[in-house]
Amino acid sequence: MTTNKTQCFTCNKDKITYLCDGCLKNFCLMDLTKHRQLLNEELHYIINDYDQFKQIFCEQKPSLHDLSLIDQINQWEINEINKIKQKAKDYRETVIKSSQIFLNDIEMKFNDLNGQLKQFHDENEFNEINLEYLRTELLKMREELNNPPTTFIQPDSLPFTDEILVISLEKKLKWDKWKQNAITVAGGNGYGDKLNQLCLPAGIFVDENKNIFIADYSNHRVVEWKYNSKEGKIVAGGNGKGNRMNQLNLPTDVIVDQQNHSIIIADWQNRRIVQWVNRNQQILIDNIDCSRLAMDKHGLLYVSDYKKNEVRRWKVGEYNEGIVVAGGNGKGDQLNQLNFPACIFVDEEESVYVSDQNNHRVVKWRKDAKEGTVVAGGNGKGENLNQLSVPQGVIVDNFGQIYVADFCNHRVMRWCEEKEEGEIVAGGNGKGNQSNQLNVPMGLSFDNEGNLYVADYLNHRIEKFEIVL
């Protein structure tokens, strides 16, 4: 309040007045007191309205109408469940029969290739052409095994259940979306070892300048593709398959420690984690069946071990035993177990997300937890929205939403922890090489603008799905 000799707004007399900061009017002392009393009464009215509304809200219970709807849904469930069980039994028998035929065919091819391998080994008469033939045949069998051609599921245009529709007026949040036709930002020129080609790209890392580092699996190298480049640059390996310090053998993942500008690689077949700094190499961890890598905000290194079915954390410079942060209780599907852990992600709270590959789920292990929580999948292998099939790449955004490379379903899924099913955000249009298709996606990454990058494994390319602003 400030004082002035002016006219009072209420009594219209010249007096020492006080300015009300709320209504910007001048009042004498007596009228100001009355003005404040009116304001206090109005505040009490608002408080009373709030208390009455809160009481009504707290007394809300399900209405008879709501209970009646639930009874109808329960009755519908009872009526339809037997029909579903019988149909499911018929479908399972069909799938098992078809799958057995496919597996028998693959087994015959395995036996044939085994005979050829044995013959080459025993007779010791082979050359580069023979080796390329064997490598190509093995790649064909791997692709065929990952993509069984004989059986698929499609919606029936005449459903046998009597559908019901429950309509809710719940408001939905607006989630990020990406353009469904991707841009190829690396590779895409057939599989090969030229600088504009890739061969089975696995893990990827996108730095703050949108440069992409790629674990080029079958080329035994790590390649960096600068932003908008037409070809890559070899930054690790590229000296043929081997276990020398300047070689790699089927690298599966790569991360860049941007503090010391080093590249850390999961050198899968050599069973080691290696660090490359300016083309100089050192082994960080040896004798480990490493699958994938991650690094937290403190620079601690995390490695998934697919044979020990665990994830360990190491402090940089102290690569001894490490600390188990997920799994480590043998192979299995319990909440304290893993079955072939693949990709991993560590969030700001140091929770570890693990693609539990052979359990077809993603499990979240909070810091120092003794068991995990299933946050995606976990309903058996399948292509329904509540299922995953051999999940690979996993990343989590700032809102805690989980993105999963759904390997055998050729799609990228987004899951929220509290939801029972996910949604497709990229791919999901069948296996293929069109711009809206994927062929067994592996690694995932975001850039600093929220664009989504996918290592499109069997298409030998990196796809960028641009965010819709």
Side-chain angles (χ1 to χ4, degrees):
M1 297 293 184
T2 58
T3 60
N4 284 300
K5 291 183 179 181
T6 185
Q7 190 179 60
C8 173
F9 176 77
T10 302
C11 66
N12 295 322
K13 295 179 180 179
D14 290 332
K15 295 183 178 181
I16 295 176
T17 60
Y18 303 87
L19 178 67
C20 174
D21 290 336
C23 62
L24 299 179
K25 294 173 183 176
N26 294 304
F27 298 93
C28 67
L29 184 59
M30 184 176 295
D31 290 328
L32 178 64
T33 302
K34 294 178 182 178
H35 181 64
R36 292 298 304 171
Q37 288 175 346
L38 291 174
L39 293 179
N40 284 331
E41 290 174 2
E42 189 171 347
L43 174 61
H44 288 146
Y45 289 143
I46 294 173
I47 292 174
N48 288 334
D49 284 346
Y50 167 80
D51 289 339
Q52 291 175 11
F53 175 75
K54 181 179 179 182
Q55 183 177 358
I56 293 171
F57 173 77
C58 292
E59 291 174 353
Q60 290 291 323
K61 296 179 180 179
S63 66
L64 292 176
H65 175 69
D66 294 333
L67 296 174
S68 174
L69 291 177
I70 292 174
D71 287 340
Q72 292 178 49
I73 294 171
N74 290 340
Q75 189 59 49
W76 170 82
E77 180 184 23
I78 293 170
N79 293 341
E80 302 300 327
I81 197 166
N82 287 332
K83 289 192 287 183
I84 294 173
K85 283 184 175 180
Q86 184 57 48
K87 277 289 184 180
K89 180 182 177 183
D90 296 341
Y91 293 153
R92 279 192 290 269
E93 291 175 354
T94 301
V95 169
I96 291 171
K97 182 178 179 181
S98 175
S99 176
Q100 194 59 52
I101 293 173
F102 169 70
L103 292 175
N104 290 342
D105 181 57
I106 291 290
E107 187 175 4
M108 291 177 61
K109 292 179 179 179
F110 267 121
N111 293 335
D112 181 57
L113 186 60
N114 182 53
Q116 297 179 61
L117 288 168
K118 199 169 183 181
Q119 181 179 352
F120 283 134
H121 183 270
D122 293 344
E123 297 178 358
N124 200 25
E125 291 184 2
F126 55 89
N127 55 33
E128 289 84 356
I129 296 175
N130 302 131
L131 293 177
E132 183 61 29
Y133 164 76
L134 293 171
R135 189 180 294 111
T136 301
E137 288 299 305
L138 189 58
L139 180 61
K140 285 180 181 178
M141 282 197 294
R142 182 185 287 119
E143 291 186 15
E144 188 175 352
L145 185 60
N146 286 332
N147 302 278
T150 52
T151 305
F152 61 93
I153 297 174
Q154 65 181 14
D156 192 341
S157 59
L158 297 174
F160 63 91
T161 59
D162 298 324
E163 295 285 346
I164 61 174
L165 183 63
V166 178
I167 301 174
S168 172
L169 299 181
E170 174 189 1
K171 293 183 179 178
K172 293 187 177 180
L173 297 175
K174 182 180 181 297
W175 303 113
D176 288 337
K177 292 186 178 180
W178 291 265
K179 295 179 182 179
Q180 292 304 293
N181 291 305
I183 302 169
T184 299
V185 291
N189 298 299
Y191 72 89
D193 60 3
K194 295 179 181 177
L195 290 179
N196 70 337
Q197 293 179 307
L198 299 169
C199 189
L200 303 179
I204 55 175
F205 182 95
V206 180
D207 70 12
E208 56 192 11
N209 298 315
K210 299 185 180 67
N211 303 318
I212 311 167
F213 294 80
I214 307 162
D216 196 5
Y217 181 78
S218 282
N219 280 328
H220 316 291
R221 66 189 185 185
V222 173
V223 184
E224 178 188 10
W225 285 64
K226 296 286 188 182
Y227 182 59
N228 282 338
S229 293
K230 300 298 181 184
E231 62 180 32
K233 172 187 175 184
I234 299 172
V235 293
N239 300 302
K241 179 176 70 173
N243 60 5
R244 298 197 311 268
M245 286 301 298
N246 69 339
Q247 292 180 305
L248 298 171
N249 191 347
L250 302 177
T252 55
D253 207 359
V254 57
I255 56 177
V256 178
D257 186 348
Q258 298 182 74
Q259 291 185 347
N260 59 17
H261 307 288
S262 70
I263 301 168
I264 301 175
I265 306 162
D267 193 7
W268 180 64
Q269 200 63 38
N270 282 328
R271 301 183 66 247
R272 64 190 184 186
I273 306 298
V274 293
Q275 182 183 50
W276 286 58
V277 185
N278 297 325
R279 306 293 295 182
N280 296 315
Q281 313 89 31
Q282 66 170 322
I283 298 174
L284 300 183
I285 307 170
D286 205 357
N287 297 318
I288 182 171
D289 293 296
C290 49
S291 183
R292 300 293 196 279
L293 303 172
M295 183 172 284
D296 67 16
K297 62 184 179 181
H298 304 297
L300 300 178
L301 184 65
Y302 297 71
V303 184
S304 56
D305 188 319
Y306 69 94
K307 283 192 177 179
K308 290 184 178 179
N309 296 291
E310 66 183 22
V311 178
R312 284 183 182 261
R313 180 181 67 215
W314 278 270
K315 186 176 181 180
V316 175
E318 297 180 9
Y319 300 107
N320 37 49
E321 292 298 318
I323 299 172
V324 176
V325 294
N329 297 297
K331 179 172 70 174
D333 61 1
Q334 302 302 306
L335 289 178
N336 69 339
Q337 295 179 306
L338 298 169
N339 188 352
F340 204 113
C343 297
I344 47 181
F345 180 90
V346 185
D347 67 14
E348 288 292 310
E349 298 176 348
E350 299 177 49
S351 294
V352 181
Y353 297 77
V354 187
S355 286
D356 195 6
Q357 176 178 309
N358 289 350
N359 282 327
H360 312 291
R361 66 187 185 185
V362 175
V363 187
K364 176 182 179 180
W365 290 66
R366 298 186 183 276
K367 185 179 179 181
D368 299 326
K370 299 302 181 184
E371 63 179 32
T373 303
V374 177
V375 293
N379 297 298
K381 181 180 180 181
E383 61 180 12
N384 295 324
L385 291 180
N386 69 338
Q387 294 178 303
L388 297 170
S389 183
V390 192
Q392 295 296 314
V394 57
I395 50 178
V396 182
D397 66 16
N398 293 332
F399 300 101
Q401 299 173 109
I402 303 132
Y403 298 77
V404 188
D406 196 3
F407 187 80
C408 290
N409 286 326
H410 317 291
R411 64 191 184 187
V412 178
M413 300 286 290
R414 173 169 56 196
W415 290 67
C416 298
E417 269 193 59
E418 71 277 7
K419 299 294 184 182
E420 294 184 357
E421 62 181 33
E423 62 177 329
I424 301 170
V425 296
N429 299 301
K431 178 184 69 175
N433 60 7
Q434 301 301 307
S435 61
N436 69 338
Q437 293 179 307
L438 299 168
N439 193 349
V440 292
M442 289 282 277
L444 296 179
S445 186
F446 285 125
D447 64 20
N448 51 18
E449 293 180 352
N451 300 307
L452 177 64
Y453 296 75
V454 184
D456 196 6
Y457 189 66
L458 288 184
N459 280 328
H460 315 289
R461 66 188 184 184
I462 308 301
E463 295 291 84
K464 175 183 177 182
F465 292 87
E466 294 184 314
I467 193 168
V468 178
L469 300 176

